[in-house]
Amino acid sequence: MRVLLSNDDGIESPALWRLALEVAESSGIEGYVVAPAEEWSAQGHAITVREPLYAERLPASGYPLPAWRVSGTPADCIKLGLHSLLPEPVDLVVAGINQGFNLATDVLYSGTVAAATEGVLGGLPAIAVSSGHESGTPTTYQFPAQVTCQLLNLLSDQMDHPWLLNVNIPATDDARVNGVWITELGPCPYIDVVRSDEDEAGRACYWLAIEPHPDRPVAGSDWEAVQKGAISLTPLEVLRLTKTNHFAGLVPVVEELQARLGEGAGPFG
Ligand code: MN
C-alpha cells in the first residue's frame, strides 16, 4: 500500500513526522509527504488559483519519507501530489496527525478534513486523523501514529473505492483508551463567541473564539467518544451533497417562479 501524507499544521508539524516515521517503519506501507510550508488550520478547503504554486523537494537524508514542501494550502498539496509530484500512484490519502481534535462542525472548517476530502475528490479513499492534546501536556504522537498505521493495515482490502474516515484519537502516549467507537458527527462541543478588543493603533477589532458547550455530548457522537477517552471513527459522505428530500418543498416555489417568468411582467418586468 502506498499513501500520500499531508497535514494542515504545516511541514514543520512534529505530529506529521511522527506519523511519517511510523509509516516508514511499517511493513507493507510506503508513503510520500506533501505538506504546506505554513499552517492552514481552520482554513478549510481553500485552493490557490490566482498565483503559481511552488514545491520544494526536501533532502532525502534526514526525513523518513520522500517529501515536498508546497507554498499553498492542504488541498493544493493533495492536488499537486496526486497529479504532478509523486512518481507513482498512491492507494490512499492520509491527512494528519492534526494537533487537536476535529469533531462535529469542525469538519467544515478543518484543513485536515479538507486534505482528506481532496483525496476522495481524486478518486481515492482517505483518512483524516486528529489527536487531542491538553495544553502544556507534551506528547510524542506515537500512540495515534501507531493506531493510524494499524487502521491502514486493517482497511487495506477496502482500497478499491473512495471513502472518507474522520478519526479522532484521545491524547495519550499509551494504549489505555476506552475502546474504538463508530460515531456520528455530534453537535459542536463548544459555542462561538466574539471577543471585542483594541489593536495597537487603538482601533476596535474582534477575535473569533470558543467556549466549552454547557450541554453534555449526544450519545454516540464523536464528541462523546473522545470525552470518554475512546477512539472515534466517523465515516463521512462527501460526494453526495444534494438534499433530495427538499425536492418536494421546492416544487411549488419553482411552479410559481415559472408562472411569474411566463407573465413577462411583475418582478421580472
Ligand atoms: Mn491543524
Side-chain angles (χ1 to χ4, degrees):
M1 182 196 311
R2 274 191 298 272
V3 301
L4 167 56
L5 260 60
S6 195
N7 195 306
D8 83 339
D9 296 331
I11 193 104
E12 310 286 345
S13 165
L16 163 64
W17 291 109
R18 190 62 193 77
L19 178 58
L21 183 64
E22 196 69 28
V23 166
E25 291 178 346
S26 293
S27 64
I29 311 179
E30 301 167 23
Y32 298 93
V33 172
V34 181
E38 310 289 337
E39 179 175 352
W40 287 88
S41 291
Q43 304 293 296
H45 208 131
I47 56 171
T48 304
V49 292
R50 291 199 298 270
E51 56 189 72
L53 290 164
Y54 297 90
E56 177 195 354
R57 176 74 190 259
L58 300 184
S61 62
Y63 294 94
L65 297 175
W68 289 262
R69 174 196 285 119
V70 168
S71 61
T73 68
D76 291 334
C77 290
I78 303 305
K79 286 183 187 289
L80 257 63
L82 296 183
H83 301 302
S84 181
L85 298 176
L86 303 192
E88 56 190 348
V90 295
D91 303 297
L92 177 113
V93 167
V94 183
I97 298 165
N98 188 64
Q99 300 185 64
F101 291 130
N102 276 303
L103 303 168
T105 49
D106 291 343
V107 301
L108 298 174
Y109 304 98
S110 165
T112 304
V113 176
T117 300
E118 191 60 42
V120 175
L121 297 180
L124 297 174
I127 300 182
V129 187
S130 304
S131 184
H133 67 113
E134 293 141 35
S135 57
T137 308
T139 172
T140 64
Y141 292 97
Q142 180 181 1
F143 177 65
Q146 290 171 337
V147 170
T148 302
C149 286
Q150 292 295 329
L151 275 172
L152 296 180
N153 275 312
L154 292 167
L155 287 161
S156 63
D157 62 348
Q158 299 184 30
M159 297 293 165
D160 58 341
H161 62 286
W163 42 259
L164 175 55
L165 195 59
N166 189 44
V167 180
N168 284 281
I169 303 173
T172 176
D173 275 330
D174 60 41
R176 287 175 298 175
V177 291
N178 182 21
V180 184
W181 298 15
I182 300 170
T183 60
E184 289 193 51
L185 295 181
C188 197
Y190 42 78
I191 51 176
D192 283 330
V193 292
V194 176
R195 298 196 200 289
S196 299
D197 196 5
E198 203 172 75
D199 71 9
E200 290 170 1
R203 286 176 49 189
C205 63
Y206 305 90
W207 294 93
L208 301 184
I210 53 174
E211 288 177 354
H213 200 290
D215 291 350
R216 293 155 62 93
V218 166
S221 67
D222 51 356
W223 176 17
E224 187 197 38
V226 299
Q227 194 194 60
K228 293 191 171 173
I231 296 169
S232 169
L233 307 184
T234 311
L236 298 180
E237 185 72 85
V238 293
L239 294 177
R240 290 176 60 91
L241 293 173
T242 309
K243 186 174 179 175
T244 53
N245 65 4
H246 195 190
F247 280 8
L250 287 174
V251 167
V253 174
V254 167
E255 287 173 350
E256 179 59 23
L257 186 61
Q258 284 178 332
R260 292 181 185 186
L261 285 165
E263 288 165 8
F268 303 98

